[in-house]
Amino acid sequence: MGILEKIQDIETEIKRTQKNKATEYHLGLLKAKLAKYRAQLIEGSKTKSEKGEGFDVMKSGDARVVMIGFPSVGKSTLLSKLTPQESIAAAYEFTTLTCVPGKFTYKGANIQLLDLPGIIEGASQGKGRGRQVIAVARTADVVLMMLDATKSAQQRPLLEAELEAVGIRLNQGLPNVSFKIKKAGGISFNATVKLNYIDQKMVYNILHDYKIFNADVVIREDINVDQFLDVVLGNRRYMKCIYCYNKIDQISMEEVDRLARQPDTVVVSCEDDLNLDYLVESIWKKLNLMRVYTKKRGEFPDFDDGLIVRNGATIEHVCHAIHRTLADTFRYALVWGTSTKHNPQRVGMSHLVHDEDVVQVVKK
Ligand SMILES: Nc1nc2c(ncn2[C@@H]2O[C@H](COP(=O)(O)OP(=O)(O)OP(=O)(O)O)[C@@H](O)[C@H]2O)c(=O)[nH]1
Ligand SMILES: [K+]
Ligand SMILES: [Mg+2]
């Protein structure tokens, strides 16, 4: 039996099994097996999908946003709206067959937006160009999940399941679990909170299933089986996602209102130009970028030309953004803004900058 059939068998069994206290354990083990086969499937196809026949587009700008969605939801229409790049849009499915890059600027940041072919159910298992599309999605700073407001509500969980199947976790944090494999000493298990979805026995069994007999496990959050598996497998991508419902010109106000209230969701109409500004602003917020300004000694800061850095950036990152070799001749920096105790404050390389800070670098 091939891996695909094995996966299908387990999926059928999971679907068939009623969820209750008595079956919880059995389901947990089934999920562990499923995760193992899926990992094998991804591993086995890596070299093939990474070549990605024409789907590799150079990263450019300060951040990358990748659109992913079923066919004809309006991905190409949106690319043509937000960027000068024209991507052919049409009423038939699979109009777009390659990766089409576009670029737009917001608050001084250059943001790359990628249009891709539509994916279909089963994409994660290699249907259509799903694997290649998903491989590109993995390179994104933010995934823009495009949905059709006129279509069934099922499209969102279906797409999420396709991404989940290849180890992508949307808008979730890394589970607060420390897990270290050792050479000897058996398995030591500790939990600092009450666990409602998983217990010591389950942890032992899962580790056993993966032939791990020596490890330290400390669980600090009320996680479930899936989250524990994520920790054990370790190759998960935790990605930020915006759910974008397009074509709201076709549905009732009540329906628009209901969709818009979902978390991380933006509703738009590309056709009628509705809410596109808010979408761009939401993308910017989700990207978590900051703009800092530089100034030379005795001069005013250049407020027209900021530097774009990621949230959590330090003076070292700022130096790199100014010039590749600046860090070598760095003595200290003067900073004005909300990151300092007084203005200006003299700081070193490891100082964390804030959005809208002004930085003056003093060289050796
Ligand atoms: N009513 C309405 N139609 C739209 C809207 N946006 C796009 N469309 C139409 O939806 C159809 C599909 O648009 P595309 O941009 O080609 O969709 P796509 O997601 O790129 O499709 P594929 O490349 O085939 O996967 C076209 O006929 C568009 O004119 C919208 O906001 N409202
Ligand atoms: K289309
Ligand atoms: Mg398209």
Side-chain angles (χ1 to χ4, degrees), residues 250-284:
Q250 298 288 316
I251 59 170
S252 70
M253 277 307 284
E254 290 76 30
E255 194 56 5
V256 171
D257 190 54
R258 197 185 57 75
L259 291 175
R261 282 172 195 278
Q262 299 182 64
D264 303 304
T265 300
V266 179
V267 295
V268 300
S269 164
C270 292
E271 195 124 301
D272 290 358
D273 261 329
L274 294 174
N275 223 16
L276 294 177
D277 293 348
Y278 180 65
L279 175 63
V280 168
E281 194 189 317
S282 304
I283 290 172
W284 160 265

Side-chain angles (χ1 to χ4, degrees), residues 84-95:
Q85 176 69 45
E86 201 61 47
S87 184
I88 295 163
Y92 56 88
E93 303 199 335
F94 301 107
T95 309

Side-chain angles (χ1 to χ4, degrees), residues 47-310:
T47 42
K48 219 165 108 197
S49 68
E50 264 169 13
K51 284 201 184 106
E53 300 145 51
F55 274 44
D56 301 330
V57 168
M58 272 272 279
K59 263 203 174 185
S60 80
D62 300 300
R64 172 180 270 193
V65 177
V66 175
M67 279 188 276
I68 201 152
F70 288 121
S72 276
V73 295
K75 300 179 292 297
S76 303
T77 311
L78 183 65
L79 187 87
S80 305
K81 280 277 171 188
L82 296 187
T83 78
Q85 176 69 45
E86 201 61 47
S87 184
I88 295 163
Y92 56 88
E93 303 199 335
F94 301 107
T95 309
T96 310
L97 295 173
T98 57
C99 180
V100 185
K103 199 170 85 179
F104 65 91
T105 309
Y106 187 71
K107 290 197 177 174
N110 289 315
I111 298 166
Q112 187 182 44
L113 181 63
L114 300 185
D115 180 24
L116 284 164
I119 65 172
I120 48 176
E121 223 188 316
S124 57
Q125 292 173 13
K127 288 226 182 96
R129 304 197 169 191
R131 283 267 188 81
Q132 282 162 280
V133 169
I134 292 170
V136 177
R138 285 180 89 96
T139 67
D141 296 300
V142 162
V143 172
L144 187 57
M145 189 180 285
M146 289 295 287
L147 301 156
D148 186 332
T150 68
K151 295 265 168 70
S152 125
Q154 268 307 98
Q155 54 182 328
R156 180 172 154 173
L158 282 175
L159 267 178
E160 285 175 325
E162 293 298 332
L163 297 178
E164 287 261 322
V166 294
I168 294 175
R169 300 291 174 263
L170 301 174
N171 295 336
Q172 285 181 29
L174 196 75
N176 194 352
V177 173
S178 78
F179 172 65
K180 281 192 205 86
I181 296 182
K182 297 181 300 186
K183 289 230 159 66
I187 290 169
S188 87
F189 175 88
N190 273 297
T192 60
V193 292
K194 184 175 167 344
L195 299 177
N196 292 302
Y197 310 101
I198 190 169
D199 59 14
Q200 183 164 1
K201 191 171 145 220
M202 178 75 85
V203 165
Y204 276 56
N205 270 308
I206 289 171
L207 292 178
H208 203 266
D209 223 33
Y210 282 88
K211 305 207 161 38
I212 297 167
F213 304 106
N214 302 294
D216 285 335
V217 181
V218 184
I219 301 181
R220 299 191 190 84
E221 189 187 333
D222 191 14
I223 55 163
N224 58 29
V225 173
D226 298 293
Q227 287 171 302
F228 183 67
L229 284 166
D230 285 350
V231 172
V232 174
L233 288 166
N235 56 352
R236 300 315 194 208
R237 277 274 288 144
Y238 294 86
M239 306 191 69
K240 289 184 274 189
C241 174
I242 292 178
Y243 300 92
C244 179
Y245 286 92
N246 185 29
K247 309 194 187 181
I248 55 166
D249 52 283
Q250 298 288 316
I251 59 170
S252 70
M253 277 307 284
E254 290 76 30
E255 194 56 5
V256 171
D257 190 54
R258 197 185 57 75
L259 291 175
R261 282 172 195 278
Q262 299 182 64
D264 303 304
T265 300
V266 179
V267 295
V268 300
S269 164
C270 292
E271 195 124 301
D272 290 358
D273 261 329
L274 294 174
N275 223 16
L276 294 177
D277 293 348
Y278 180 65
L279 175 63
V280 168
E281 194 189 317
S282 304
I283 290 172
W284 160 265
K285 282 210 181 113
K286 205 47 151 187
L287 281 170
N288 224 349
L289 297 174
M290 298 190 299
R291 185 161 47 164
V292 299
Y293 303 99
T294 55
K295 82 175 222 56
K296 294 197 173 95
R297 193 174 159 212
E299 288 178 18
F300 283 113
D302 185 359
F303 284 121
D304 292 328
D305 190 22
L307 288 173
I308 302 296
V309 290
R310 292 189 187 246

Side-chain angles (χ1 to χ4, degrees), residues 14 17-20 23-32:
I14 290 179
T17 311
Q18 261 188 11
K19 273 195 193 123
N20 57 46
T23 59
E24 199 174 45
Y25 201 74
H26 179 60
L27 278 171
L29 291 180
L30 284 176
K31 282 180 178 173

